[in-house]
Amino acid sequence: MKHSFVKYLVFFSIMLTTMTTLAQTNTITGTIKDNSGMPIPGANVLVKNTNNGVQTDFDGKFAIKASSGDILVATFIGMKTIEIKVSNQTNVNFKLEEEGNNLQEVVVVGYGVQKKRDVTGALVSVSSEDIASRPVNNAVEAMQGKAAGIDISSNERPGQVGTIRIRGNRSITGSNSPLYVVDGIPLNSGGIDFINPVDIESIDVLKDASATAIFGSRGANGVIIVTTKKGKSGKFTLNYDTAVTTESIFERAPIMSAGDYIELRRWAKHYETPTVFPKGNAPTIENDRTIFFADGDPTAWANIEKGWAGGTWDGSKLTTTNWAKFVTQTGITRQQTLSVSGGTEKMKAYGSFGYINNTGTLKGQGFKRYTGIANIDITPTKWFSMGANLNVSYGETEFGQSTVGRSAVATSAGIYNTARQNLPYAFPLDADGNRIQNPGADSTIRNVLDEHKLSQDQRLTLRAFGSFYAQLDFGGLTPALTGLKYRVNFGPDLTSFRNGVFLDGQSSARSGTNFASLNKEQIISYTLDNLIFYNKTLGKHDFGLTLLQSKTQYAEESSAMSAQNIPITQSKWNALTPVNVGLLGYSSNFFETGLFSYMGRINYGFDDKYLLTASLRYDAASQLAEGNKGAYFPSASIGWRIDKENFLQGISWLNQLKLRVGFGVVGNAAVPAFETQPPLAQVLYSTFSGVNNNAKLGNIALGWERTTQYNYGIDFGIFKNRISGSLEYYTSQTNDLLLARTIPSVSGFTNTTANIGQTESEGIELTLNTVNARTKDFEWSSSLSASWQQNAITELQNGKFDDIVNNRFIGRPQGVIYGFESNGIWRPEDAVEMQKFNDAAGRTVFTFGNARPVDQNGDYLIDPNNDRVIIGNTEPKFITGLTNTFNYKNIELSIFVYGRMGYIFNAGGENLSGKTSQRVIDYYTDDNTDAEYQKPIFSAGTGDVYNGTLGYRNGSFLKIRNISLGYNFDEDTLEKIGISRLRFYLQATNPGMIFSKVDFIDLDTGTSFSNRGFTLGLNIQF
């Protein structure tokens, strides 16, 4: 009985213990998601201070046993660690945020990746989030104002991109364009405008030579590395992005009304021939019949007669024709992208299809682009992986009125400016609806009505770019070789281009006969890289070795023909045969270049504090001369993570402090093929007087242009990284410039390309990110990129002597404005001084109302040898971009401001010839002597020969480029309907200037007009 009691006691004790344990230990389930509500597969959940841990599945879900009072710790690479204490709940959800200091962020460098904390060169990144926050048509626009030291001009013509310069211009006649690298493959031609911005994961810009020297000759002007999106392990996702943009032209320089313009022309005729035509304030109908060609265009004259209806002139009775309305329209852009992504540990895939249709704000201009991308990464074993990425793009650009085949006397920069030249008192059609070819009866002014039907410049581009790799990880075969990898990259790049141009005889660009031309171009290139990587950690020592052997081949084949008198206009450029048309010309061309390279790079880190990167690259370029084809390009940089030092560990407000110093030499061989050989065209020595010289002499000693650059940088983060950024200072010197120089024509040639001259530059760049305010539901953050740069030519072909003919000056940057300085205009109170100039010249040079140049040497003679000076230069010294972002719960508002400062904009003065229309200005007359601009003088040319002196203006501006308002739907609401993410946004583009020194020009576009519009967009993810 006693044994039975003991037995039962033990049994109940065990049952009680088990029940107690079960009461305290529960299975906790939950999900881990990121800030956007996306599940995070592979995240770790651990019971703190135990070995009890699990990973989330493809949907970000987990299940773990934990007791009340335990602390669950959720971690994931690049995300902040979060801890949640368990009480009685059985469900715990985590929302992980990205690390504020981004030290764990991986950035792409040449032929590999590095943690941002370990980077020793000057590098700036633009993430997919940055791109998505401001939807754009191409990847170049996405970088505008986002990266310090990068200047990107605006180009609003559909399908066109602006120029991009990294740390200014180095070369004078050689290329200053950066190298583009897409998914590890350097592009041999073109830019990145063929890539759908939605497909871009990140853009990393290498700015200093210590970072770009890894690419040798092609890194001379900076490197832009584009990484497209890849599939990720976990849940498969379906994304749909769409946006609609409407735009219209905003004009800053309105044209004079018909009445005001007629008064201007009267004054212009008077100042041209005072003895024949009366002053503009004393008109007569008889003189007007002569001035305005009454018999030549009766329709226009009938409009002018309305002003004389009461017997005295009343310009307000005239009808003013707005010629711009005939060539403008509301521009509509539609963008759509459908993408899928997902995978497992062994295979990941991403694919997308994108479409953009941009109807320009000018009739006849437009752009369509179809993009498709498919990539796959396969890791069948732990020692082998391979992948393929294929990016195909088809673009159709309607350029608008062509600059090819123009024969009309009146020429201008595009159809919009042609329309603005049309006379405001004239009409496109007569009373019977017939087209008036020369409105106002001026043979140099052509009707622009239906110009988009009379001229076409169509450009079709098909581009297929691939990036293929295979990688062998020897560490997967044997632990002794851990860290050793071999990789082969292959990147084919194919481009097919066709340009067809047709101009009807009635086009404003032609003079009665039609014209057509056809150009075709085919480019085939490839890059083949063999790479060896070895990474090893020994205690506090981290080693990384990269070895490269690379070969690049580029071949371009082109043909062209042109003709006029096309019998069937509908055939345009499609039937250019000797039977049908009179051929004007035909040509074909072919050239091929190659580059062969070797490279070695070593990365070393000690104790996570002291960092070293050194590389040496050898490049041999086929287009350079024998004996000079090959060159070595070294680089080295060091970094010191001071925040890791013991003497700073007690400073709680300091989160990051790293010093960087870098040095590198890069080369430039960006000259056409056969620069070392005479051209294939014959040199013709004529039998009559004179010689027809061939254009260019081959230079058998042509070699590399070299740039040596030093970079000093500091990365910082303080107050829990609420303030973080980087500050850079650099100097560079470019020697042996690839410069076109003039040679004596007796040689049978007029110029050649040679290694002569030198330029220098320096600059300061600041990137600053701040969290200005943060509460539970609200956050205000700012991102600033600002740079100051200064470039100078230090030597030319004749040493340290100016080359005035080519506008090159020692000690000055490129883009110098060299001319006559303005002293305003001559007024009646200047009569005595003005007469001294006329007496010195022995004739009447100036009269009241003329533009007044400065007499620099005081001899009362204005001549180009003694009185021209450097007015300034067109390269901005300061470039800035500022984005302010405000988040309140699910609402996001961002404002992007962009500016350039410290340069001169040459507005060109005002012609005031009274021959074409005129923007509204304050001009000199006998009744208005205190005017801003000179008096009008009727002329087929420039009118006042010194009018350009009044066009030099301070080009500084600060502009609101974009305002975006978005709403992110709550993830809990979306989860119920099977949607992972849903975002609506509305943005305004180019809403206005904050300040500008020139009110009649949009200094961002460099024209009097720019596009303003609104975009409505949707991002949805399943």
Side-chain angles (χ1 to χ4, degrees):
M1 189 73 180
K2 182 178 180 181
H3 290 293
S4 297
F5 176 78
V6 173
K7 209 165 36 173
Y8 286 122
L9 181 61
V10 172
F11 173 78
F12 282 115
S13 297
I14 293 173
M15 289 294 297
L16 182 61
T17 303
T18 303
M19 293 177 64
T20 304
T21 303
L22 290 174
Q24 294 177 346
T25 302
N26 297 317
T27 298
I28 308 296
T29 61
T31 59
I32 299 182
K33 297 181 179 180
D34 62 17
N35 256 337
S36 64
M38 282 296 300
I40 303 177
N44 296 309
V45 181
L46 179 73
V47 177
K48 193 171 183 179
N49 298 323
T50 73
N51 294 322
N52 180 18
V54 295
Q55 280 193 336
T56 55
D57 62 14
F58 293 159
D59 297 318
K61 296 179 179 179
F62 69 91
I64 189 171
K65 292 187 179 296
S67 303
S68 178
D70 284 344
I71 296 176
L72 296 184
V73 182
T75 61
F76 191 71
I77 296 175
M79 312 291 265
K80 291 181 179 178
T81 298
I82 292 183
E83 297 181 358
I84 295 180
K85 188 173 184 179
V86 178
S87 55
N88 295 321
Q89 75 267 42
T90 59
N91 184 266
V92 175
N93 295 319
F94 291 90
K95 186 175 183 180
L96 301 187
E97 298 180 354
E98 292 185 4
E99 286 280 2
N101 59 12
N102 289 327
L103 289 182
Q104 300 297 327
E105 178 185 346
V106 173
V107 293
V108 182
V109 295
Y111 304 104
V113 297
Q114 276 186 296
K115 289 183 178 180
K116 196 169 184 179
R117 68 183 186 187
D118 297 332
V119 172
T120 55
L123 180 149
V124 64
S125 297
V126 180
S127 67
S128 57
E129 289 78 12
D130 293 327
I131 298 172
S133 69
R134 183 163 56 97
V136 291
N137 295 334
N138 59 74
V140 172
E141 291 180 29
M143 293 187 289
Q144 218 166 24
K146 296 286 188 180
I150 303 175
D151 185 21
I152 303 174
S153 65
S154 294
N155 191 333
E156 296 186 321
R157 185 186 290 269
Q160 305 294 298
V161 299
T163 58
I164 180 168
R165 295 290 181 266
I166 298 176
R167 293 185 167 180
N169 292 319
R170 298 173 179 85
S171 186
I172 295 179
T173 56
S175 172
N176 282 293
S177 297
L179 170 68
Y180 297 98
V181 178
V182 178
D183 292 327
I185 304 297
L187 299 186
N188 295 312
S189 64
I192 53 176
D193 49 298
F194 71 97
I195 302 175
N196 186 344
V198 177
D199 293 328
I200 295 177
E201 182 68 29
S202 66
I203 301 175
D204 296 283
V205 184
L206 311 182
K207 298 185 293 184
D208 73 322
S210 71
T212 63
I214 197 74
F215 292 101
S217 61
R218 290 183 291 179
N221 302 311
V223 180
I224 296 175
I225 302 177
V226 176
T227 303
T228 59
K229 291 180 178 178
K230 303 291 190 295
K232 298 178 181 179
S233 299
K235 179 181 177 181
F236 278 82
T237 60
L238 174 65
N239 296 271
Y240 177 65
D241 299 274
T242 183
V244 177
T245 301
T246 60
E247 293 179 304
S248 58
I249 283 182
F250 176 74
E251 178 57 63
R252 295 179 173 273
I255 294 294
M256 288 181 175
S257 67
D260 290 340
Y261 175 76
I262 283 173
E263 182 178 346
L264 178 140
R265 180 178 275 198
R266 289 174 181 152
W267 280 109
K269 292 296 289 185
H270 166 71
Y271 288 129
E272 177 205 28
T273 318
T275 57
V276 176
F277 296 101
K279 293 183 178 182
N281 57 9
T284 66
I285 192 170
E286 292 79 13
N287 280 322
D288 278 358
R289 290 187 64 87
T290 302
I291 294 172
F292 298 102
F293 309 110
D295 297 330
D297 185 354
T299 304
W301 175 248
N303 189 27
I304 296 174
E305 279 188 316
K306 291 191 297 186
W308 289 105
T312 58
W313 174 253
D314 184 357
S316 65
K317 294 181 178 179
L318 272 66
T319 300
T320 298
T321 300
N322 177 16
W323 288 94
K325 73 178 182 180
F326 298 123
V327 301
T328 58
Q329 61 187 1
T330 298
I332 300 177
T333 302
R334 300 177 180 87
Q335 302 179 66
Q336 298 184 74
T337 301
L338 183 67
S339 64
V340 292
S341 175
T344 66
E345 290 299 322
K346 291 186 178 293
M347 185 173 70
K348 307 176 186 68
Y350 175 88
S352 83
F353 175 77
Y355 170 70
I356 180 172
N357 186 348
N358 182 356
T359 302
T361 53
L362 294 176
K363 293 181 179 179
Q365 294 185 7
F367 176 62
K368 294 179 182 179
R369 184 187 65 207
Y370 302 85
T371 58
I373 185 172
N375 66 60
I376 185 170
D377 295 277
I378 303 173
T379 308
T381 69
K382 61 182 180 179
W383 52 267
F384 180 76
S385 62
M386 65 182 300
N389 184 358
L390 183 62
N391 198 320
V392 179
S393 171
Y394 174 78
E396 180 180 311
T397 302
E398 295 292 347
F399 190 79
Q401 188 186 67
S402 175
T403 57
V404 177
R406 183 182 293 274
S407 64
V409 175
T411 61
S412 65
I415 187 60
Y416 185 76
N417 287 324
T418 301
R420 282 171 58 85
Q421 289 182 345
N422 274 224
L423 301 170
Y425 63 85
F427 300 93
L429 304 173
D430 63 19
D432 298 325
N434 299 313
R435 180 185 179 87
I436 302 173
Q437 190 62 23
N438 299 106
D442 190 320
S443 62
T444 65
I445 297 177
R446 309 279 288 178
N447 194 339
V448 296
L449 179 67
D450 291 333
E451 178 64 25
H452 63 290
K453 300 178 181 178
L454 301 172
S455 63
Q456 185 178 16
D457 185 339
Q458 186 185 75
R459 307 173 182 190
L460 306 180
T461 304
L462 174 63
R463 186 164 187 179
F465 173 80
S467 173
F468 305 91
Y469 78 91
Q471 181 168 293
L472 182 62
D473 186 347
F474 293 96
L477 296 172
T478 171
L481 297 177
T482 299
L484 179 63
K485 298 177 182 179
Y486 167 73
R487 181 184 177 106
V488 59
N489 293 333
F490 178 63
D493 191 357
L494 312 176
T495 301
S496 177
F497 174 77
R498 190 268 279 163
N499 183 197
V501 173
F502 178 77
L503 296 174
D504 190 278
Q506 294 190 68
S507 166
S508 61
R510 293 293 290 177
S511 300
T513 59
N514 54 32
F515 169 88
S517 70
L518 177 64
N519 292 268
K520 290 189 174 182
E521 187 177 276
Q522 178 179 281
I523 299 173
I524 300 176
S525 66
Y526 72 85
T527 297
L528 178 63
D529 294 335
N530 289 283
L531 288 150
I532 293 177
F533 303 100
Y534 183 68
N535 295 281
K536 188 72 173 178
T537 299
L538 298 173
K540 294 183 178 182
H541 303 274
D542 289 316
F543 298 92
L545 176 67
T546 303
L547 300 176
L548 165 77
Q549 180 270 320
S550 178
K551 179 183 179 182
T552 294
Q553 202 73 20
Y554 175 91
E556 179 180 326
E557 185 175 347
S558 61
S559 61
M561 62 175 66
S562 61
Q564 60 184 7
N565 298 318
I566 315 299
I568 303 176
T569 58
Q570 290 84 351
S571 66
K572 298 180 181 178
W573 51 80
N574 293 312
L576 303 184
T577 66
V579 177
N580 296 329
V581 300
L583 289 176
L584 293 175
Y586 54 89
S587 65
S588 65
N589 193 18
F590 172 81
F591 68 86
E592 188 174 18
T593 61
L595 185 72
F596 198 77
S597 309
Y598 294 97
M599 183 274 296
R601 176 182 60 194
I602 185 169
N603 295 311
Y604 170 72
F606 175 72
D607 199 20
D608 206 23
K609 299 177 187 177
Y610 312 109
L611 309 169
L612 168 68
T613 300
S615 70
L616 179 65
R617 177 158 176 150
Y618 171 82
D619 277 336
S622 64
Q623 64 265 42
L624 299 180
E626 291 294 336
N628 292 330
K629 293 182 183 294
Y632 291 93
F633 302 100
S635 74
S637 57
I638 57 174
W640 179 21
R641 297 188 62 193
I642 309 176
D643 57 284
K644 291 292 184 178
E645 296 290 353
N646 293 331
F647 59 81
L648 290 179
Q649 294 308 299
I651 303 178
S652 60
W653 53 266
L654 180 64
N655 305 106
Q656 181 190 10
L657 184 62
K658 180 172 69 175
L659 293 181
R660 294 178 282 104
V661 178
F663 153 83
V665 179
V666 288
N668 191 347
V671 292
F674 312 123
E675 289 291 289
T676 62
Q677 304 294 324
L680 296 178
Q682 65 178 350
V683 180
L684 174 63
Y685 290 89
S686 177
T687 56
F688 55 84
S689 176
V691 173
N692 286 336
N693 294 106
N694 209 323
K696 184 171 287 188
L697 173 68
N699 183 351
I700 60 174
L702 194 64
W704 289 90
E705 177 178 292
R706 295 169 179 267
T707 297
T708 302
Q709 189 174 102
Y710 293 87
N711 191 88
Y712 311 89
I714 180 171
D715 302 325
F716 58 88
I718 56 176
F719 306 124
K720 296 183 179 179
N721 286 299
R722 291 188 62 165
I723 300 176
S724 63
S726 63
L727 182 66
E728 312 275 351
Y729 170 71
Y730 69 89
T731 63
S732 68
Q733 183 179 85
T734 302
N735 298 288
D736 298 326
L737 296 173
L738 292 169
L739 190 63
R741 66 176 300 175
T742 302
I743 57 177
S745 59
V746 294
S747 64
F749 302 87
T750 56
N751 64 77
T752 187
T753 300
N755 294 108
I756 48 177
Q758 178 180 296
T759 60
E760 292 180 349
S761 64
E762 63 176 337
I764 299 173
E765 299 163 355
L766 172 66
T767 299
L768 184 64
N769 301 300
T770 62
V771 179
N772 309 306
R774 178 186 287 163
T775 63
K776 178 182 178 183
D777 296 323
F778 175 77
E779 180 176 292
W780 167 29
S781 60
S782 300
S783 177
L784 171 71
S785 66
S787 63
W788 170 86
Q789 61 184 24
Q790 181 169 276
N791 306 311
I793 299 171
T794 55
E795 191 174 314
L796 290 166
Q797 65 183 52
N798 295 318
K800 296 186 179 297
F801 293 93
D802 297 335
D803 181 1
I804 297 177
V805 174
N806 291 301
N807 209 50
R808 299 166 188 160
F809 297 87
I810 301 300
R812 298 283 184 167
Q814 302 176 50
V816 160
I817 298 175
Y818 183 68
F820 296 107
E821 188 178 0
S822 174
N823 199 15
I825 58 177
W826 291 104
R827 310 180 193 278
E829 56 266 31
D830 303 318
V832 175
E833 186 71 9
M834 186 180 71
Q835 189 58 45
K836 294 178 182 178
F837 283 87
N838 294 333
D839 291 342
R843 58 187 177 87
T844 301
V845 178
F846 297 113
T847 58
F848 300 138
N850 284 148
R852 180 180 178 179
V854 173
D855 177 24
Q856 300 291 341
N857 64 352
D859 63 358
Y860 290 99
L861 293 171
I862 302 298
D863 67 272
N865 293 326
N866 297 306
D867 295 313
R868 286 188 297 170
V869 294
I870 294 175
I871 307 297
N873 73 87
T874 59
E875 294 186 357
K877 286 189 176 181
F878 300 93
I879 303 167
T880 186
L882 173 65
T883 300
N884 278 292
T885 303
F886 305 89
N887 290 281
Y888 177 71
K889 293 186 176 179
N890 294 345
I891 301 173
E892 179 182 275
L893 172 67
S894 68
I895 303 172
F896 172 50
V897 176
Y898 177 73
R900 288 192 180 108
M901 285 149 275
Y903 72 106
I904 299 296
F905 181 81
N906 186 2
E910 294 294 327
N911 193 308
L912 284 175
S913 67
K915 194 168 174 62
T916 60
S917 64
Q918 173 63 49
R919 74 176 180 91
V920 178
I921 61 169
D922 177 25
Y923 63 93
Y924 181 99
T925 67
D926 290 358
D927 298 333
N928 183 33
T929 61
D930 191 26
E932 181 181 4
Y933 289 95
Q934 80 278 6
K935 65 185 178 184
I937 303 173
F938 192 84
S939 169
T942 60
D944 191 322
V945 295
Y946 297 111
N947 79 82
T949 61
L950 301 173
Y952 306 130
R953 304 297 178 99
N954 184 336
S956 299
F957 73 92
L958 195 62
K959 178 181 187 179
I960 301 177
R961 179 69 67 76
N962 178 278
I963 299 177
S964 180
L965 178 65
Y967 182 82
N968 295 287
F969 283 80
D970 187 81
E971 60 187 71
D972 294 332
T973 303
L974 296 177
E975 191 173 1
K976 297 176 182 178
I977 57 176
I979 297 176
S980 301
R981 184 181 183 227
L982 180 62
R983 178 176 182 261
F984 281 104
Y985 62 89
L986 174 68
Q987 71 171 6
T989 55
N990 297 324
M993 288 281 185
I994 296 176
F995 79 84
S996 173
K997 294 294 186 178
V998 186
D999 59 359
F1000 58 91
I1001 294 288
D1002 186 325
L1003 293 166
D1004 186 20
T1005 62
T1007 61
S1008 67
F1009 62 96
S1010 58
N1011 293 337
R1012 280 186 176 177
F1014 294 92
T1015 299
L1016 181 63
L1018 166 70
N1019 308 124
I1020 185 170
Q1021 184 175 80
F1022 298 93

